[in-house]
Amino acid sequence: MQDKAGCVTHPPWLISGRLLARTRRSAIKAAALLSLWSLAFSSMASDTLLVGVYNNPPKIFVDDQGHLRGILGELLEAIAQEEDWQLESIACEFHNCLTLLEQGDIDILPGTAWGEERGERIAFHREPIIQSWSQLYQRENERVEAILDLEQKRVAIVDGSIQQNYLSAVTERFGVSVTWLPVDSYADTFQAVAMGDADLAVTDHIFGDWRAQDYGLYEAPIIFQPIRLFYAGSPTLSATILDRIDDVLRGWKQNPRSVYFRILRSWRAETPPDTISTWLWGGLGLLTALLAVALGSAWWLKRRVTLNRAQLDANEAMLTTILNNVDACIYIKTPSLHYQFVNQRVVELFGLPKEQILGKSDEAFFDSTTANEIAQIDRSVMESGKKITLEERNVLQHNDKVRTFVTIKMPLSLSPGEPASLCGISTELTDYLELQSRTNHLAFYDALTGLPNRRLLMESLSGKIEQENTPHLYSALLTIDLDNFHLVNDIQGHESGDQLLIDVAKQVRPLLPEGAVLARFSGDEFVALLAKLGEHQADAALSAERTAKQLLDAISKLRTGRSLPVNASIGITLFDGSDHSMNSVLQQADLALQQAKAAGGNTLRFFNRSMQTRLIERANLEADLHHALARHELALHYQTQVNHQGITTGVEALLRWCHPQRGWVPPSTFIPLAEENGLIIPIGYWVLHSACEQLAKWANQAPYAALTISVNVSSVQFQQPEFVRNLEGLLAQTQAPPGRLVLEVTESLLMRDPTRVRNTMLKLRAQGVRFAIDDFGTGYSSLSYLKRLPLDELKIDQSFIRELLTDKADAAIVDTTILLAVSLGLTVVAEGVEKQEQLDWLKGHGCYRYQGYLFGRPTPIDRLFESY
């Protein structure tokens, strides 16, 4: 029986069916302990299955007598009869049924679609009962053919159904605005459309085929969500029952005459009852029989036509859905080149409804030039009868944007004997090509200045060298680097630095000759390639020099935000196609730039062969220096320091390099090289280690225990964060007396970062290490640091001692330095003393410590004190 809402309910004796069933099962299990007969009875009784029934004809419902009806209900009744099961029904809404099934309050729920999430919560057998899909139904006057046609439509749909979840997601993804009308059943969806409350209804095709015509509704060509329906079981249901359902279904499906197919046929359509009276059939006799045969044949043919039409409609709907969702313009034109079919992508391209496109030619949508080109191609395809693939560039009316398509066009015969139509498939590449263009620009052009970048310049230079394979056709490469550009970033910030680079690019580019390439190579470095300057090297050089001077002058006129002056240095190299490579040309221009920088900047320099020779020499020397320490080619020589009484007070450790082929390499050559490439750090550590080991040996030898060893410390080494820790470790490792170690530092180091240098010196002074200023007076001097730093000695540079007796200025500087040092309590050491007259002058002016050839040349430790 049904309540007012149309839901199936139980007679009173079934209201507590679940409770009675569970009570009976408990009683049976208890009785099983009493006798074997009771055990058999309990086995039979335990096969009573509680079935959740929701009102969804023609799939499942309960009739007035409480019997399961519908396709799924009658099939389950037939299975239960064959397996000798007892069925009891529980009325519920579908979602409530699912909840009861998950909780184990019912055993079976017919017509449940399998899904991964459901499969984890409830049990399923494997053989599907039937297959179904969802479909939209509409009135005859509606024209809904695709998802996009649902815009502003009212759609009746079962609340909480999988159809609602799916369609909501699809319409949201396509930006289609739909008004949803949630109802309780499929019948309510049809009723809502019939009453005018909704424009379309959503059901499965089984219910639609059964009742759509009763409501005057027709299928819309939109189908979705093909599903398979099962009898779902509770998690506690025996797997044997589900296995038996599978076995019965498989057996039935193999026999066309089985109850399975009989039930399916009985629910495919409602045939009106036969109203012809029995007496009339008897009166007609044989004629009636023949008429019945004829009518049966006609009905069968009509049925076949209906089924075929339904299948064609379904296929057409599927094809339309596919074509409308393909990301390409698909169209068919008549032999007269008028649009006969267009998909949704064409509608979007033209921005017009489909009805305003069909029947019109391309002249209505494209500009005249594009329309004529398209028509010529279309006629060519139809005349040749061959498929072609081409790239089209089309312009729509009232839009100047050129749109690029890759198009396939082919003749299409729609009816035998009729002229061929034209089918086209056009994939738009406009956005892709624009993205490709932007990517290409980013790959080959500088994002800040818009100039070609290093990569494009290298390709241009390589191509230029390859093209100029005939000698004496000169080109020039100019490397332009801003002088002290880092000051702009440090003082005014990186935004000002970026703006300066932009201004330089704008200023330089117009000054270059036609055909020249200007690129931003890196940072503040620009490179200009001047091609084909002439056959004579002198003329080419003059032209390149003239251009370079114009660039220097233009750059010098630029100003930053705070009017900081801007200058540049330029390195120039000339090349032809006779004997050059891309790397060598760049190397030559860079070497010339270094020479311009070394000359003070704001100038230009040409590359010459002597530069390259020095570069190669320097590179070879640097490579050898990398191995000098490991090959024991480095050594320490010591030069004595004496006082005014001629007594040796200490020595200075001087680094020497004996190259296996070059012999002794001057320190002024390899030490700056070591500082540039960082090798001074391991070499300096080795020097300090050797000096500490020597001090430790002398500490145990009475004649030498009071001697000091002075070691020059590179500014690169001194500024290393681990310098203090490393030196403390060496002192502890060698047990050298810290008070006998004197570290000589330069004025430039003291002035570079006074606070940090002072902290480092104080830490080492706390260990007992002493400090001396080396080459005093040769650098940037500030007397204030002399009183703030923990200094012990001040060494006067030998350049002042050398001309002491002949140059009054040098004499005055030395005299003043001695007075200054004495007043500050510092010991003064004069370097480079080579003559007795120099020694006498120094003694007379208060300097009592000396070092120089007059007292001994630097010598290895084993020969240092042969006469000591």
Side-chain angles (χ1 to χ4, degrees):
M1 60 183 66
Q2 296 183 347
D3 61 12
K4 294 181 180 180
C7 298
V8 176
T9 59
H10 293 297
W13 57 272
L14 280 179
I15 293 176
S16 302
R18 180 60 182 172
L19 179 61
L20 293 173
R22 295 302 178 205
T23 303
R24 180 164 62 252
R25 291 178 185 177
S26 299
I28 291 171
K29 292 179 181 178
L33 300 174
L34 301 175
S35 67
L36 182 61
W37 179 86
S38 298
L39 179 60
F41 177 78
S42 70
S43 176
M44 182 183 301
S46 65
D47 285 337
T48 297
L49 300 178
L50 297 181
V51 182
V53 181
Y54 52 97
N55 188 34
N56 187 13
K59 289 194 294 186
I60 182 74
F61 61 97
V62 175
D63 63 12
D64 294 339
Q65 286 74 40
H67 296 123
L68 291 175
R69 293 296 311 278
I71 299 172
L72 305 178
E74 293 179 11
L75 285 174
L76 184 59
E77 288 276 12
I79 295 173
Q81 183 177 358
E82 186 165 321
E83 296 296 316
D84 197 22
W85 296 338
Q86 301 297 319
L87 302 179
E88 294 182 10
S89 60
I90 299 292
C92 49
E93 294 294 336
F94 180 75
H95 285 285
N96 293 335
C97 287
L98 273 178
T99 302
L100 295 174
L101 188 70
E102 292 177 19
Q103 295 173 352
D105 293 332
I106 60 175
D107 298 311
I108 295 290
L109 180 59
T112 306
W114 180 88
E116 290 187 6
E117 183 180 358
R118 286 181 177 175
E120 295 177 356
R121 304 196 310 267
I122 56 180
F124 286 86
H125 56 90
R126 297 182 179 180
E127 183 68 26
I129 313 168
I130 56 175
Q131 303 202 33
S132 180
W133 60 81
S134 300
Q135 190 154 5
L136 271 73
Y137 292 85
Q138 59 186 349
R139 290 187 294 269
E140 187 175 7
N141 58 343
E142 289 289 342
R143 289 294 182 269
V144 174
E145 298 181 359
I147 292 294
L148 296 178
D149 294 335
L150 296 180
E151 180 71 30
Q152 302 299 325
K153 296 295 184 181
R154 300 168 301 164
V155 179
I157 195 166
V158 175
D159 188 24
S161 64
I162 58 176
Q163 292 105 328
Q164 183 180 23
N165 296 335
Y166 175 84
L167 285 178
S168 296
V170 171
T171 54
E172 182 178 350
R173 185 165 67 249
F174 284 96
V176 178
S177 177
V178 178
T179 300
W180 303 107
L181 179 63
V183 297
D184 294 330
S185 66
Y186 288 152
D188 291 341
T189 66
F190 281 1
Q191 184 67 24
V193 177
M195 298 296 294
D197 297 330
D199 301 312
L200 296 103
V202 181
T203 73
D204 63 33
H205 88 285
I206 296 176
F207 183 84
D209 290 348
W210 185 59
R211 296 298 305 275
Q213 293 187 359
D214 296 343
Y215 289 89
L217 302 183
Y218 300 89
E219 301 96 331
I222 300 178
I223 60 175
F224 57 96
Q225 284 187 318
I227 58 174
R228 298 179 299 170
L229 300 179
F230 299 85
Y231 294 114
S234 72
T236 60
L237 183 65
S238 171
T240 304
I241 293 177
L242 296 177
D243 291 339
R244 289 303 305 150
I245 292 176
D246 278 333
D247 293 341
V248 173
L249 287 175
R250 291 191 187 102
W252 283 350
K253 289 183 179 182
Q254 294 175 3
N255 181 7
R257 295 184 178 86
S258 65
V259 65
Y260 175 83
F261 291 102
R262 177 175 57 78
I263 292 174
L264 290 184
R265 284 192 294 269
S266 69
W267 285 98
R268 278 182 179 171
E270 291 287 347
T271 304
D274 190 357
T275 58
I276 301 177
S277 302
T278 304
W279 65 267
L280 181 59
W281 283 106
L284 293 177
L286 181 60
L287 180 61
T288 304
L290 294 174
L291 180 60
V293 172
L295 290 174
S297 300
W299 177 86
W300 182 84
L301 290 174
K302 182 178 180 181
R303 180 67 176 171
R304 290 291 298 174
V305 170
T306 301
L307 291 175
N308 289 340
R309 170 53 61 185
Q311 186 63 43
L312 287 174
D313 291 343
N315 291 341
E316 182 180 355
M318 292 179 63
L319 181 59
T320 301
T321 301
I322 294 172
L323 293 179
N324 283 333
N325 286 280
V326 172
D327 192 18
C329 296
I330 302 176
Y331 52 87
I332 298 175
K333 296 180 183 178
T334 65
S336 59
L337 300 183
H338 291 79
Y339 284 99
Q340 184 177 0
F341 167 84
V342 293
N343 71 342
Q344 184 62 31
R345 190 69 181 85
V346 177
V347 171
E348 295 171 359
L349 175 66
F350 292 161
L352 296 170
K354 183 182 298 184
E355 293 76 13
Q356 297 184 26
I357 300 174
L358 299 180
K360 296 182 180 179
S361 65
D362 289 311
E363 294 177 352
F365 311 111
F366 296 99
D367 71 351
S368 58
T369 302
T370 300
N372 289 334
E373 292 176 353
I374 294 175
Q376 290 179 9
I377 295 171
D378 291 350
R379 292 191 187 97
S380 174
V381 171
M382 298 176 71
E383 290 172 1
S384 66
K386 297 180 180 179
K387 181 180 74 173
I388 66 168
T389 301
L390 72 157
E391 181 177 304
E392 292 183 312
R393 290 180 174 84
N394 300 334
V395 179
L396 294 170
Q397 287 186 356
H398 313 300
N399 190 335
D400 295 334
K401 181 179 181 180
V402 178
R403 309 177 80 105
T404 304
F405 298 84
V406 171
T407 300
I408 300 174
K409 295 189 176 185
M410 68 196 82
L412 181 66
S413 296
L414 298 178
S415 300
E418 295 293 330
S421 298
L422 182 122
C423 176
I425 304 173
S426 298
T427 302
E428 185 168 5
L429 301 180
T430 307
D431 293 340
Y432 169 76
L433 293 176
E434 290 178 354
L435 176 62
Q436 188 180 53
S437 178
R438 289 195 296 269
T439 303
N440 181 74
H441 190 273
L442 290 174
F444 290 99
Y445 290 87
D446 175 50
L448 179 65
T449 63
L451 295 176
N453 61 11
R454 181 190 186 102
R455 178 178 177 182
L456 182 55
L457 175 73
M458 297 288 278
E459 292 187 3
S460 300
L461 179 58
S462 177
K464 185 61 61 181
I465 292 174
E466 291 176 1
Q467 290 175 10
E468 295 183 2
N469 51 14
T470 57
H472 307 306
L473 186 60
Y474 288 95
S475 297
L477 191 72
L478 282 64
T479 302
I480 309 160
D481 188 84
L482 301 182
D483 297 333
N484 300 318
F485 175 73
H486 65 91
L487 293 178
V488 179
N489 286 331
D490 295 343
I491 296 174
Q492 300 182 201
H494 288 277
E495 289 186 2
S496 295
D498 290 346
Q499 186 59 50
L500 176 58
L501 295 175
I502 295 172
D503 294 341
V504 169
K506 291 180 179 178
Q507 194 79 359
V508 168
R509 187 158 37 190
L511 300 176
L512 297 177
E514 184 178 355
V517 177
L518 176 66
R520 184 186 175 196
F521 211 57
S522 63
D524 60 329
E525 185 176 328
F526 298 83
V527 174
L529 175 60
L530 312 182
K532 299 180 180 180
L533 297 180
E535 297 182 358
H536 300 288
Q537 187 178 33
D539 294 339
L542 182 61
S543 178
E545 182 181 22
R546 186 183 302 111
T547 300
K549 287 181 177 179
Q550 291 177 346
L551 299 183
L552 289 176
D553 183 61
I555 293 173
S556 66
K557 294 178 181 178
L558 294 173
R559 289 293 182 270
T560 63
R562 298 183 184 178
S563 297
L564 286 176
V566 180
N567 293 310
S569 300
I570 299 180
I572 309 172
T573 185
L574 300 177
F575 64 93
D576 58 15
S578 58
D579 186 22
H580 290 87
S581 67
M582 178 178 63
N583 290 331
S584 67
V585 170
L586 288 170
Q587 187 182 56
Q588 291 171 5
D590 188 62
L591 185 58
L593 175 66
Q594 294 177 28
Q595 296 297 316
K597 289 283 189 183
N602 194 25
T603 188
L604 61 90
R605 287 290 185 272
F606 277 89
F607 169 80
N608 56 56
R609 290 297 172 186
S610 63
M611 291 183 185
Q612 190 168 30
T613 302
R614 290 196 299 272
L615 176 66
I616 296 174
E617 181 74 14
R618 185 179 185 276
N620 292 336
L621 188 65
E622 182 178 356
D624 292 340
L625 184 58
H626 274 276
H627 305 289
L629 189 60
R631 295 172 180 172
H632 305 289
E633 296 171 5
L634 299 178
L636 286 183
H637 288 188
Y638 296 87
Q639 187 175 31
T640 58
Q641 298 174 344
V642 301
N643 61 15
H644 62 288
Q645 297 175 341
I647 300 174
T648 301
T649 59
V651 297
E652 180 180 359
L654 300 171
L655 183 62
R656 296 293 184 263
W657 179 18
C658 183
H659 191 279
Q661 284 81 37
R662 303 170 186 264
W664 292 103
V665 180
S668 60
T669 299
F670 73 85
I671 289 180
L673 188 61
E675 288 181 327
E676 289 180 17
N677 60 27
L679 287 174
I680 196 65
I681 297 174
I683 291 175
Y685 182 85
W686 173 81
V687 171
L688 286 171
H689 187 271
S690 301
C692 289
E693 284 185 333
Q694 190 61 49
L695 284 173
K697 291 179 182 178
W698 284 349
N700 298 318
Q701 301 175 24
Y704 313 123
L707 296 180
T708 63
I709 295 182
S710 298
V711 178
N712 287 281
V713 180
S714 165
S715 61
V716 176
Q717 182 183 11
F718 194 86
Q719 291 178 332
Q720 293 298 307
E722 64 275 9
F723 177 72
V724 173
R725 183 173 64 252
N726 289 344
L727 183 54
E728 289 175 346
L730 285 177
L731 292 171
Q733 175 187 348
T734 60
Q735 294 298 303
R740 301 301 178 189
L741 178 63
V742 181
L743 299 184
E744 296 187 3
V745 295
T746 62
E747 290 178 284
S748 60
L749 168 64
L750 301 178
M751 297 304 299
R752 185 168 299 169
D753 191 353
T755 301
R756 180 179 177 183
V757 170
R758 183 173 184 271
N759 292 336
T760 300
M761 294 176 68
L762 289 174
K763 291 178 183 178
L764 293 174
R765 185 60 178 271
Q767 301 292 324
V769 177
R770 299 163 64 184
F771 289 93
I773 298 180
D774 192 22
D775 301 335
F776 182 79
T778 60
Y780 177 83
S781 300
S782 175
L783 300 181
S784 63
Y785 72 80
L786 293 177
K787 66 178 182 180
R788 295 192 302 109
L789 297 177
L791 298 170
D792 299 280
E793 297 180 6
L794 187 152
K795 301 185 74 174
I796 303 175
D797 187 68
Q798 59 182 341
S799 63
F800 298 112
I801 304 300
R802 186 178 302 114
E803 305 295 334
L804 179 67
L805 302 175
T806 59
D807 192 320
K808 292 182 179 180
D810 285 349
I813 292 174
V814 173
D815 188 32
T816 303
T817 302
I818 294 172
L819 291 175
L820 176 65
V822 171
S823 65
L824 293 175
L826 301 178
T827 300
V828 183
V829 179
E831 294 183 301
V833 180
E834 300 178 356
K835 301 176 182 179
Q836 183 64 39
E837 292 82 1
Q838 294 170 337
L839 177 61
D840 294 340
W841 191 96
L842 291 168
K843 284 182 180 180
H845 288 77
C847 178
Y848 304 121
R849 294 277 295 277
Y850 324 101
Q851 179 180 339
Y853 288 173
L854 183 63
F855 310 100
R857 292 176 176 272
T859 184
I861 191 65
D862 55 353
R863 300 203 307 269
L864 181 62
F865 297 116
E866 290 179 349
S867 60
Y868 185 74

